[in-house]
Amino acid sequence: MTDEKPVESGALLARARTLVDSNRLDEAETICREIISRDPGYTEARYLLALIYQHTGQTGSAIDQYRFVVTHKACPADACNNLGTLLESTGRADEALQYYEEAIRRDPGFPFANYNLARLLRARGMSDKAITHIRRALDSSPESAPIHLECGMIYKALGMLPEALEHIQRASDLCSTDPVIHNALGNLYQVLGEIGKAISCYQTAIDIDGDNAEARNNLGSALLARGDTTAAIDKYRAALSIRPDWFGAASNLLLAGNYISDNPEDLFHEHVRYGRSLQDATPILDIH
């Protein structure tokens, strides 16, 4: 009798995996839950269930299952990485960082965990530490556009602009249809003072994704740097039409308007509208 349950659970798990491969996730979930009800410590079933929950957007349930799985020494590194990504998506970056580090402890060359850890470290101003992890990720996945992009962003943060250009350009070569990459390449060209190339990159990002407010705002800034204030204002307004509450684009619009406005009253009303939007977003506290 003691040997029957593992054999039966193993057969059920194999069936659940087959169902997952066929995208019959509801049936697979039911089987995983049945296995766990019989054997709560069956880690493989909990891991598969976590993957199902993650795929179907049941973030809280996926986190619960992953938390159980990662307590076991034999759990795969990607379980720690997946838990990290879910925690990061819910605003728990501190916890996420710990699980990315745990994934790397279990598999030092694991590219996704190294990439994710590098991203978080750069976001926290720790690019000097991030570079080690993004290089590891690149060693494991040398043809990954996201990893090349992140590598370029880290080099840019470190002030190593030729290296940054090499990697962001490589990301663009590997994935020419990603507007985020073209926008990042435009930002770098603008830092390098190559405004014409920056404008071309921003325009490519907009051509790929017409709702890309960031590229429109950045294109406005490049046009303003070239002295084309009227066109810049048009781009800032286009960015705000997509993201009406974006204070950065609104501030850029007001700044550009100062250069050409021949109607002080209209400019005054633009500033008033901007001020009201700030007040609506951040109510003034009545402190006693």
Side-chain angles (χ1 to χ4, degrees):
M1 290 297 291
T2 56
D3 293 336
E4 288 183 9
K5 183 163 62 174
V7 171
E8 183 180 357
S9 294
L12 286 171
L13 183 62
R15 172 62 177 160
R17 286 173 173 157
T18 300
L19 290 168
V20 168
D21 291 340
S22 302
N23 204 35
R24 295 162 65 181
L25 302 184
D26 288 344
E27 295 172 69
E29 177 186 345
T30 298
I31 291 175
C32 287
R33 292 173 67 88
E34 179 183 346
I35 295 171
I36 293 166
S37 69
R38 298 179 180 185
D39 185 357
Y42 203 123
T43 307
E44 292 88 345
R46 287 186 179 272
Y47 178 50
L48 184 59
L49 185 58
L51 289 170
I52 293 168
Y53 284 146
Q54 185 172 4
H55 186 75
T56 55
Q58 300 178 70
T59 301
S61 297
I63 287 173
D64 289 342
Q65 295 301 326
Y66 278 130
R67 285 195 188 279
F68 182 93
V69 172
V70 300
T71 61
H72 292 259
K73 292 182 179 179
C75 96
D78 61 347
C80 298
N81 180 68
N82 290 350
L83 178 54
T85 60
L86 290 174
L87 290 167
E88 188 178 354
S89 73
T90 57
R92 288 175 274 183
D94 288 341
E95 285 187 83
L97 189 145
Q98 294 172 17
Y99 284 107
Y100 296 147
E101 290 176 336
E102 179 59 29
I104 293 166
R105 276 193 289 271
R106 294 174 188 237
D107 182 357
F110 187 35
F112 301 117
N114 277 291
Y115 164 75
N116 285 328
L117 181 56
R119 278 191 310 99
L120 276 187
L121 290 171
R122 176 175 65 86
R124 295 176 171 211
M126 301 163 65
S127 293
D128 55 331
K129 294 183 178 179
I131 194 66
T132 298
H133 295 287
I134 203 64
R135 282 172 175 163
R136 282 186 193 169
L138 202 56
D139 286 343
S140 299
S141 297
E143 299 301 304
S144 167
I147 292 175
H148 273 286
L149 175 60
E150 184 58 34
C151 190
M153 298 299 287
I154 292 168
Y155 277 127
K156 181 184 175 186
L158 292 171
M160 302 170 69
L161 300 187
E163 293 85 353
L165 181 58
E166 176 187 348
H167 285 283
I168 299 178
Q169 183 61 65
R170 181 59 180 150
S172 178
D173 293 341
L174 289 166
C175 187
S176 61
T177 59
D178 188 340
V180 173
I181 295 174
H182 290 288
N183 186 63
L185 189 56
N187 286 338
L188 182 55
Y189 276 131
Q190 196 160 352
V191 170
L192 291 168
E194 299 190 42
I195 302 302
K197 290 182 179 180
I199 288 172
S200 178
C201 290
Y202 295 140
Q203 189 58 60
T204 299
I206 294 166
D207 291 342
I208 296 169
D209 176 11
D211 292 328
N212 193 315
E214 290 79 6
R216 290 183 184 275
N217 176 72
N218 292 338
L219 178 54
S221 296
L223 290 166
L224 189 64
R226 197 172 66 176
D228 195 346
T229 307
T230 301
I233 286 174
D234 288 342
K235 300 307 176 185
Y236 293 141
R237 284 179 173 154
L240 285 167
S241 71
I242 298 167
R243 287 178 55 186
D245 59 347
W246 188 7
F247 299 145
S251 179
N252 288 340
L253 174 61
L254 294 178
L255 177 63
N258 285 323
Y259 297 143
I260 65 168
S261 178
D262 57 1
N263 189 327
E265 185 176 350
D266 286 348
L267 185 59
F268 169 75
H269 288 302
E270 288 277 6
H271 280 271
V272 169
R273 279 193 290 273
Y274 177 53
R276 285 175 178 166
S277 68
L278 285 173
Q279 185 174 354
D280 290 342
T282 310
I284 298 173
L285 297 178
D286 183 13
I287 301 175
H288 298 284

CSV table of all heavy atoms in Angstrom, one decimal, residues 149 153 156 168 171-172 175-191 197-209 212-222 239 243 246:
chain,number,residue,atom,x,y,z
A,149,LEU,N,19.6,44.4,-24.8
A,149,LEU,CA,19.1,45.7,-24.4
A,149,LEU,C,19.4,46.1,-23.0
A,149,LEU,O,19.9,47.2,-22.8
A,149,LEU,CB,17.5,45.7,-24.6
A,149,LEU,CG,16.8,47.0,-24.2
A,149,LEU,CD1,17.3,48.2,-25.0
A,149,LEU,CD2,15.3,46.8,-24.4
A,153,MET,N,21.6,49.1,-21.5
A,153,MET,CA,21.1,50.1,-20.5
A,153,MET,C,22.1,50.2,-19.3
A,153,MET,O,22.3,51.3,-18.8
A,153,MET,CB,19.7,49.7,-20.1
A,153,MET,CG,18.7,49.7,-21.2
A,153,MET,SD,18.5,51.3,-22.0
A,153,MET,CE,17.6,52.2,-20.8
A,156,LYS,N,25.1,52.1,-20.4
A,156,LYS,CA,24.8,53.5,-20.5
A,156,LYS,C,24.8,54.1,-19.1
A,156,LYS,O,25.3,55.2,-18.9
A,156,LYS,CB,23.4,53.7,-21.1
A,156,LYS,CG,22.9,55.1,-21.3
A,156,LYS,CD,21.5,55.2,-21.8
A,156,LYS,CE,21.0,56.6,-21.9
A,156,LYS,NZ,19.5,56.6,-22.3
A,168,ILE,N,22.8,47.8,-27.6
A,168,ILE,CA,21.4,48.2,-28.0
A,168,ILE,C,21.2,48.0,-29.5
A,168,ILE,O,20.1,47.6,-29.9
A,168,ILE,CB,21.1,49.6,-27.5
A,168,ILE,CG1,21.2,49.7,-25.9
A,168,ILE,CG2,19.7,50.0,-27.9
A,168,ILE,CD1,20.9,51.0,-25.3
A,171,ALA,N,20.6,44.4,-30.0
A,171,ALA,CA,19.2,44.1,-29.7
A,171,ALA,C,18.3,44.5,-30.8
A,171,ALA,O,17.4,43.7,-31.2
A,171,ALA,CB,18.8,44.8,-28.4
A,172,SER,N,18.5,45.6,-31.4
A,172,SER,CA,17.7,46.0,-32.6
A,172,SER,C,17.8,45.1,-33.7
A,172,SER,O,16.9,44.8,-34.4
A,172,SER,CB,18.0,47.5,-32.9
A,172,SER,OG,17.3,47.9,-34.1
A,175,CYS,N,15.9,41.9,-32.9
A,175,CYS,CA,14.4,42.1,-32.8
A,175,CYS,C,14.0,43.5,-33.4
A,175,CYS,O,13.9,44.4,-32.6
A,175,CYS,CB,13.9,41.9,-31.4
A,175,CYS,SG,12.1,41.9,-31.2
A,176,SER,N,13.9,43.6,-34.7
A,176,SER,CA,13.7,44.9,-35.3
A,176,SER,C,12.3,45.4,-35.1
A,176,SER,O,12.0,46.6,-35.5
A,176,SER,CB,14.0,44.8,-36.8
A,176,SER,OG,13.2,43.9,-37.4
A,177,THR,N,11.4,44.6,-34.6
A,177,THR,CA,10.0,45.0,-34.5
A,177,THR,C,9.6,45.4,-33.1
A,177,THR,O,8.4,45.6,-32.8
A,177,THR,CB,9.0,43.9,-34.9
A,177,THR,OG1,9.3,42.7,-34.1
A,177,THR,CG2,9.3,43.5,-36.4
A,178,ASP,N,10.6,45.6,-32.2
A,178,ASP,CA,10.3,46.0,-30.8
A,178,ASP,C,10.4,47.5,-30.6
A,178,ASP,O,11.6,48.0,-30.7
A,178,ASP,CB,11.2,45.3,-29.8
A,178,ASP,CG,10.9,45.5,-28.4
A,178,ASP,OD1,10.1,46.4,-28.1
A,178,ASP,OD2,11.3,44.7,-27.5
A,179,PRO,N,9.3,48.2,-30.4
A,179,PRO,CA,9.4,49.7,-30.3
A,179,PRO,C,10.2,50.1,-29.1
A,179,PRO,O,10.8,51.2,-29.1
A,179,PRO,CB,8.0,50.1,-30.2
A,179,PRO,CG,7.2,48.9,-29.7
A,179,PRO,CD,7.9,47.7,-30.3
A,180,VAL,N,10.2,49.3,-28.0
A,180,VAL,CA,11.0,49.7,-26.8
A,180,VAL,C,12.5,49.8,-27.1
A,180,VAL,O,13.2,50.7,-26.7
A,180,VAL,CB,10.8,48.6,-25.7
A,180,VAL,CG1,11.7,48.9,-24.5
A,180,VAL,CG2,9.3,48.7,-25.3
A,181,ILE,N,13.0,48.8,-28.0
A,181,ILE,CA,14.4,48.9,-28.3
A,181,ILE,C,14.7,50.1,-29.2
A,181,ILE,O,15.7,50.8,-28.9
A,181,ILE,CB,14.8,47.6,-29.1
A,181,ILE,CG1,14.6,46.3,-28.2
A,181,ILE,CG2,16.2,47.7,-29.6
A,181,ILE,CD1,14.8,45.0,-28.9
A,182,HIS,N,13.9,50.4,-30.1
A,182,HIS,CA,14.1,51.6,-31.0
A,182,HIS,C,14.0,52.9,-30.1
A,182,HIS,O,14.8,53.8,-30.4
A,182,HIS,CB,13.1,51.6,-32.1
A,182,HIS,CG,13.3,50.6,-33.1
A,182,HIS,ND1,14.3,50.6,-34.0
A,182,HIS,CD2,12.6,49.4,-33.4
A,182,HIS,CE1,14.3,49.5,-34.8
A,182,HIS,NE2,13.2,48.8,-34.4
A,183,ASN,N,13.2,52.9,-29.2
A,183,ASN,CA,13.1,54.1,-28.3
A,183,ASN,C,14.3,54.2,-27.5
A,183,ASN,O,14.9,55.3,-27.3
A,183,ASN,CB,11.9,54.0,-27.4
A,183,ASN,CG,11.6,55.2,-26.6
A,183,ASN,OD1,11.4,56.3,-27.1
A,183,ASN,ND2,11.7,55.0,-25.2
A,184,ALA,N,14.8,53.1,-26.9
A,184,ALA,CA,16.1,53.1,-26.1
A,184,ALA,C,17.3,53.5,-27.0
A,184,ALA,O,18.1,54.3,-26.5
A,184,ALA,CB,16.3,51.7,-25.5
A,185,LEU,N,17.3,53.0,-28.2
A,185,LEU,CA,18.4,53.4,-29.1
A,185,LEU,C,18.3,54.9,-29.5
A,185,LEU,O,19.4,55.6,-29.5
A,185,LEU,CB,18.3,52.6,-30.4
A,185,LEU,CG,19.5,52.7,-31.4
A,185,LEU,CD1,20.8,52.3,-30.7
A,185,LEU,CD2,19.2,51.7,-32.6
A,186,GLY,N,17.1,55.4,-29.6
A,186,GLY,CA,16.9,56.9,-29.8
A,186,GLY,C,17.4,57.7,-28.7
A,186,GLY,O,18.1,58.7,-28.8
A,187,ASN,N,17.1,57.2,-27.4
A,187,ASN,CA,17.6,57.9,-26.2
A,187,ASN,C,19.1,58.0,-26.2
A,187,ASN,O,19.7,59.0,-25.8
A,187,ASN,CB,17.1,57.2,-25.0
A,187,ASN,CG,15.6,57.4,-24.7
A,187,ASN,OD1,15.0,58.4,-25.2
A,187,ASN,ND2,15.0,56.5,-24.0
A,188,LEU,N,19.8,56.8,-26.6
A,188,LEU,CA,21.2,56.8,-26.5
A,188,LEU,C,21.8,57.7,-27.6
A,188,LEU,O,22.8,58.5,-27.3
A,188,LEU,CB,21.7,55.4,-26.7
A,188,LEU,CG,23.2,55.2,-26.7
A,188,LEU,CD1,23.8,55.7,-25.4
A,188,LEU,CD2,23.5,53.7,-26.8
A,189,TYR,N,21.2,57.7,-28.8
A,189,TYR,CA,21.7,58.6,-29.8
A,189,TYR,C,21.6,60.0,-29.4
A,189,TYR,O,22.4,60.9,-29.7
A,189,TYR,CB,21.0,58.3,-31.1
A,189,TYR,CG,21.6,57.2,-32.0
A,189,TYR,CD1,20.7,56.2,-32.5
A,189,TYR,CD2,22.9,57.2,-32.2
A,189,TYR,CE1,21.3,55.2,-33.2
A,189,TYR,CE2,23.5,56.1,-33.0
A,189,TYR,CZ,22.6,55.1,-33.5
A,189,TYR,OH,23.1,54.1,-34.3
A,190,GLN,N,20.5,60.3,-28.7
A,190,GLN,CA,20.3,61.7,-28.2
A,190,GLN,C,21.4,62.1,-27.2
A,190,GLN,O,21.9,63.2,-27.3
A,190,GLN,CB,18.9,61.9,-27.7
A,190,GLN,CG,18.5,63.3,-27.5
A,190,GLN,CD,17.0,63.5,-27.4
A,190,GLN,OE1,16.2,62.6,-27.6
A,190,GLN,NE2,16.6,64.7,-27.1
A,191,VAL,N,21.7,61.2,-26.3
A,191,VAL,CA,22.8,61.5,-25.4
A,191,VAL,C,24.1,61.7,-26.1
A,191,VAL,O,24.9,62.5,-25.7
A,191,VAL,CB,22.9,60.3,-24.4
A,191,VAL,CG1,24.2,60.4,-23.5
A,191,VAL,CG2,21.7,60.2,-23.5
A,197,LYS,N,19.8,60.7,-36.0
A,197,LYS,CA,19.6,59.3,-35.8
A,197,LYS,C,18.6,59.0,-34.7
A,197,LYS,O,17.8,58.1,-34.7
A,197,LYS,CB,20.9,58.6,-35.4
A,197,LYS,CG,21.9,58.5,-36.6
A,197,LYS,CD,23.2,57.8,-36.2
A,197,LYS,CE,24.2,57.7,-37.3
A,197,LYS,NZ,25.4,57.0,-37.0
A,198,ALA,N,18.6,59.9,-33.6
A,198,ALA,CA,17.6,59.7,-32.5
A,198,ALA,C,16.2,59.9,-33.1
A,198,ALA,O,15.3,59.1,-32.8
A,198,ALA,CB,17.9,60.7,-31.4
A,199,ILE,N,16.0,60.9,-33.9
A,199,ILE,CA,14.7,61.2,-34.5
A,199,ILE,C,14.2,60.0,-35.3
A,199,ILE,O,13.1,59.5,-35.2
A,199,ILE,CB,14.7,62.5,-35.3
A,199,ILE,CG1,14.8,63.7,-34.4
A,199,ILE,CG2,13.5,62.6,-36.2
A,199,ILE,CD1,15.1,65.0,-35.1
A,200,SER,N,15.1,59.4,-36.1
A,200,SER,CA,14.8,58.2,-36.9
A,200,SER,C,14.4,57.1,-36.1
A,200,SER,O,13.4,56.4,-36.4
A,200,SER,CB,16.0,57.9,-37.8
A,200,SER,OG,15.7,56.7,-38.5
A,201,CYS,N,15.1,56.8,-34.9
A,201,CYS,CA,14.7,55.7,-34.1
A,201,CYS,C,13.4,55.9,-33.4
A,201,CYS,O,12.5,55.0,-33.3
A,201,CYS,CB,15.8,55.5,-33.0
A,201,CYS,SG,17.4,54.9,-33.6
A,202,TYR,N,13.1,57.1,-32.9
A,202,TYR,CA,11.8,57.4,-32.3
A,202,TYR,C,10.7,57.2,-33.3
A,202,TYR,O,9.6,56.7,-33.0
A,202,TYR,CB,11.8,58.8,-31.7
A,202,TYR,CG,12.7,59.1,-30.6
A,202,TYR,CD1,13.4,60.3,-30.6
A,202,TYR,CD2,12.9,58.2,-29.6
A,202,TYR,CE1,14.3,60.6,-29.5
A,202,TYR,CE2,13.8,58.4,-28.6
A,202,TYR,CZ,14.5,59.6,-28.5
A,202,TYR,OH,15.4,59.9,-27.5
A,203,GLN,N,10.9,57.7,-34.5
A,203,GLN,CA,9.9,57.6,-35.6
A,203,GLN,C,9.6,56.1,-35.9
A,203,GLN,O,8.5,55.7,-36.1
A,203,GLN,CB,10.3,58.3,-36.8
A,203,GLN,CG,9.1,58.4,-37.8
A,203,GLN,CD,7.9,59.1,-37.3
A,203,GLN,OE1,8.0,60.2,-36.9
A,203,GLN,NE2,6.8,58.4,-37.3
A,204,THR,N,10.7,55.3,-35.9
A,204,THR,CA,10.5,53.9,-36.1
A,204,THR,C,9.7,53.2,-35.0
A,204,THR,O,8.8,52.4,-35.3
A,204,THR,CB,11.8,53.1,-36.2
A,204,THR,OG1,12.6,53.7,-37.3
A,204,THR,CG2,11.7,51.7,-36.4
A,205,ALA,N,9.9,53.6,-33.8
A,205,ALA,CA,9.1,53.1,-32.6
A,205,ALA,C,7.7,53.5,-32.8
A,205,ALA,O,6.8,52.6,-32.5
A,205,ALA,CB,9.7,53.6,-31.3
A,206,ILE,N,7.4,54.7,-33.2
A,206,ILE,CA,6.0,55.2,-33.4
A,206,ILE,C,5.4,54.4,-34.6
A,206,ILE,O,4.2,54.0,-34.5
A,206,ILE,CB,6.0,56.7,-33.6
A,206,ILE,CG1,6.5,57.4,-32.4
A,206,ILE,CG2,4.6,57.1,-34.0
A,206,ILE,CD1,6.8,58.9,-32.6
A,207,ASP,N,6.1,54.2,-35.6
A,207,ASP,CA,5.6,53.4,-36.8
A,207,ASP,C,5.2,52.0,-36.4
A,207,ASP,O,4.2,51.5,-36.9
A,207,ASP,CB,6.6,53.4,-37.9
A,207,ASP,CG,6.9,54.7,-38.6
A,207,ASP,OD1,6.0,55.6,-38.4
A,207,ASP,OD2,7.9,54.9,-39.2
A,208,ILE,N,5.9,51.4,-35.5
A,208,ILE,CA,5.6,50.1,-35.0
A,208,ILE,C,4.4,50.1,-34.1
A,208,ILE,O,3.6,49.2,-34.1
A,208,ILE,CB,6.9,49.4,-34.3
A,208,ILE,CG1,8.0,49.3,-35.4
A,208,ILE,CG2,6.5,48.1,-33.7
A,208,ILE,CD1,9.3,48.9,-34.7
A,209,ASP,N,4.4,51.1,-33.2
A,209,ASP,CA,3.4,51.2,-32.1
A,209,ASP,C,2.9,52.6,-32.1
A,209,ASP,O,3.5,53.5,-31.5
A,209,ASP,CB,4.0,50.8,-30.8
A,209,ASP,CG,3.0,50.9,-29.6
A,209,ASP,OD1,1.8,51.2,-29.9
A,209,ASP,OD2,3.4,50.8,-28.5
A,212,ASN,N,2.6,54.6,-28.7
A,212,ASN,CA,3.8,54.7,-27.9
A,212,ASN,C,4.0,56.1,-27.5
A,212,ASN,O,4.6,56.9,-28.2
A,212,ASN,CB,5.0,54.1,-28.7
A,212,ASN,CG,6.2,53.9,-27.8
A,212,ASN,OD1,6.5,54.8,-26.9
A,212,ASN,ND2,6.8,52.8,-27.9
A,213,ALA,N,3.5,56.5,-26.3
A,213,ALA,CA,3.6,57.8,-25.8
A,213,ALA,C,5.0,58.2,-25.5
A,213,ALA,O,5.4,59.4,-25.7
A,213,ALA,CB,2.7,58.0,-24.6
A,214,GLU,N,5.8,57.3,-25.0
A,214,GLU,CA,7.2,57.6,-24.6
A,214,GLU,C,8.0,58.0,-25.9
A,214,GLU,O,8.7,59.0,-25.8
A,214,GLU,CB,7.8,56.4,-24.0
A,214,GLU,CG,7.3,56.1,-22.6
A,214,GLU,CD,6.0,55.3,-22.6
A,214,GLU,OE1,5.5,55.0,-23.7
A,214,GLU,OE2,5.4,55.2,-21.5
A,215,ALA,N,7.8,57.3,-27.0
A,215,ALA,CA,8.5,57.6,-28.2
A,215,ALA,C,8.1,59.0,-28.7
A,215,ALA,O,8.9,59.8,-29.2
A,215,ALA,CB,8.4,56.5,-29.2
A,216,ARG,N,6.8,59.3,-28.7
A,216,ARG,CA,6.3,60.6,-29.1
A,216,ARG,C,6.9,61.7,-28.3
A,216,ARG,O,7.3,62.8,-28.8
A,216,ARG,CB,4.8,60.6,-29.1
A,216,ARG,CG,4.2,59.7,-30.2
A,216,ARG,CD,2.7,59.8,-30.2
A,216,ARG,NE,2.1,58.9,-31.2
A,216,ARG,CZ,1.9,59.1,-32.5
A,216,ARG,NH1,2.3,60.3,-32.9
A,216,ARG,NH2,1.4,58.2,-33.3
A,217,ASN,N,6.9,61.5,-27.0
A,217,ASN,CA,7.5,62.5,-26.1
A,217,ASN,C,9.0,62.7,-26.4
A,217,ASN,O,9.5,63.9,-26.5
A,217,ASN,CB,7.3,62.1,-24.6
A,217,ASN,CG,7.9,63.1,-23.7
A,217,ASN,OD1,7.5,64.2,-23.5
A,217,ASN,ND2,9.0,62.7,-23.0
A,218,ASN,N,9.7,61.6,-26.5
A,218,ASN,CA,11.1,61.7,-26.8
A,218,ASN,C,11.4,62.3,-28.2
A,218,ASN,O,12.4,63.1,-28.3
A,218,ASN,CB,11.7,60.3,-26.7
A,218,ASN,CG,11.7,59.8,-25.3
A,218,ASN,OD1,11.6,60.5,-24.3
A,218,ASN,ND2,11.8,58.5,-25.2
A,219,LEU,N,10.5,62.0,-29.1
A,219,LEU,CA,10.7,62.6,-30.5
A,219,LEU,C,10.5,64.1,-30.3
A,219,LEU,O,11.2,64.9,-31.0
A,219,LEU,CB,9.7,62.0,-31.4
A,219,LEU,CG,9.7,62.6,-32.8
A,219,LEU,CD1,11.1,62.6,-33.5
A,219,LEU,CD2,8.7,61.9,-33.7
A,220,GLY,N,9.6,64.5,-29.5
A,220,GLY,CA,9.4,66.0,-29.3
A,220,GLY,C,10.6,66.6,-28.7
A,220,GLY,O,11.1,67.7,-29.1
A,221,SER,N,11.3,65.9,-27.8
A,221,SER,CA,12.5,66.5,-27.2
A,221,SER,C,13.6,66.6,-28.2
A,221,SER,O,14.4,67.5,-28.2
A,221,SER,CB,12.9,65.6,-26.0
A,221,SER,OG,11.9,65.7,-24.9
A,222,ALA,N,13.7,65.6,-29.1
A,222,ALA,CA,14.8,65.6,-30.1
A,222,ALA,C,14.5,66.7,-31.1
A,222,ALA,O,15.5,67.4,-31.5
A,222,ALA,CB,14.8,64.3,-30.8
A,239,ALA,N,1.7,62.8,-27.4
A,239,ALA,CA,1.9,61.9,-26.3
A,239,ALA,C,0.9,62.1,-25.2
A,239,ALA,O,0.4,61.1,-24.6
A,239,ALA,CB,3.3,62.3,-25.7
A,243,ARG,N,-1.6,59.6,-23.2
A,243,ARG,CA,-1.4,59.5,-21.7
A,243,ARG,C,-1.7,60.9,-21.1
A,243,ARG,O,-0.8,61.6,-20.8
A,243,ARG,CB,-0.1,59.0,-21.3
A,243,ARG,CG,0.2,57.6,-21.5
A,243,ARG,CD,1.6,57.2,-21.1
A,243,ARG,NE,1.9,57.5,-19.8
A,243,ARG,CZ,3.1,57.4,-19.2
A,243,ARG,NH1,4.1,56.9,-20.0
A,243,ARG,NH2,3.4,57.7,-18.0
A,246,TRP,N,0.2,62.3,-18.0
A,246,TRP,CA,1.6,62.2,-17.9
A,246,TRP,C,2.2,63.6,-17.7
A,246,TRP,O,2.3,64.4,-18.6
A,246,TRP,CB,2.2,61.6,-19.2
A,246,TRP,CG,3.6,61.3,-19.1
A,246,TRP,CD1,4.5,61.4,-18.1
A,246,TRP,CD2,4.4,60.8,-20.2
A,246,TRP,NE1,5.7,61.0,-18.4
A,246,TRP,CE2,5.7,60.7,-19.7
A,246,TRP,CE3,4.2,60.6,-21.6
A,246,TRP,CZ2,6.8,60.2,-20.6
A,246,TRP,CZ3,5.2,60.1,-22.4
A,246,TRP,CH2,6.5,60.0,-21.9
